[in-house]
Amino acid sequence: VNKQVLALNEVVVKSKTLSTFVLDVHINEHHFETFRGDGLLVSTPTGSTAYNHAVDGSILHPSIEAMQVAELAAINNNAFRTLGRSFILPKHHTLDLVVKNPEKDVLIGVDGVELDLEGIHKIHVTVAEQKIRFVRYRPFPFWNRVKDKFMDS
């Protein structure tokens, strides 16, 4: 069953249990890494100042058409290696997350709402063609908002 959803901020993919979650990460249909840990977070530029920021992801200006992938408590030791950093994919790239332990229940959250899905084996992520525009009642540049949110007291 295919289901398409749109995210304004982020998509979280992780296990519903406390055990290690294993995903094969494919970029443009090529294997990139096998991730082991709590899960992965894929954020939009709008979401880059939320959960993504809390897991040490970069802040992206909203005019950049991209998605950012950040690790949630990755396992990195002598046996298992991941990139160990968030990475940014441009609009023309695709991301496929293939569940390696499908017997585990997969939790997918979109903008803080858990989707009620079962039997997830693959999640395909792209930058959407749809755009959202925010209404502003006064000019307030993005970097000023970032500074006010994170650095001014």
Side-chain angles (χ1 to χ4, degrees):
V1 174
N2 289 331
K3 181 174 178 102
Q4 181 180 4
V5 294
L6 295 174
L8 176 62
N9 294 306
E10 72 266 326
V11 175
V12 179
V13 180
K14 61 184 185 176
S15 173
K16 286 185 178 180
T17 67
L18 295 177
S19 62
T20 300
F21 195 46
V22 183
L23 291 168
D24 271 341
V25 178
H26 296 259
I27 299 172
N28 295 335
E29 300 181 8
H30 297 285
H31 185 266
F32 178 67
E33 71 177 356
T34 298
F35 172 84
R36 289 172 180 83
D38 285 356
L40 290 175
L41 171 71
V42 183
S43 66
T44 68
T46 301
S48 71
T49 58
Y51 193 179
N52 175 73
H53 182 268
V55 297
D56 291 329
S58 295
I59 294 175
L60 296 180
H61 191 277
S63 67
I64 298 171
E65 296 187 60
M67 61 180 134
Q68 184 169 181
V69 182
E71 299 176 346
L72 303 176
I75 296 174
N76 277 304
N77 56 32
N78 290 336
F80 307 121
R81 303 300 301 160
T82 66
L83 185 61
R85 299 277 185 269
S86 65
F87 58 92
I88 299 167
L89 298 175
K91 179 181 180 172
H92 62 278
H93 280 49
T94 61
L95 176 72
D96 289 304
L97 306 175
V98 180
V99 180
K100 295 296 286 183
N101 44 355
E103 69 281 358
K104 306 285 184 199
D105 287 330
V106 179
L107 182 146
I108 299 178
V110 177
D111 293 338
V113 177
E114 181 180 341
L115 300 181
D116 186 19
L117 304 171
E118 292 184 10
I120 300 293
H121 298 285
K122 180 178 175 183
I123 299 103
H124 180 74
V125 187
T126 62
V127 174
E129 291 296 326
Q130 295 91 331
K131 301 293 176 241
I132 188 165
R133 294 180 99 42
F134 295 100
V135 175
R136 290 190 295 234
Y137 63 92
R138 61 186 166 93
F140 195 38
F142 174 75
W143 294 112
N144 287 357
R145 291 193 314 266
V146 169
K147 183 178 179 217
D148 285 355
K149 182 174 182 179
F150 297 112
M151 295 182 290
D152 287 347
S153 47

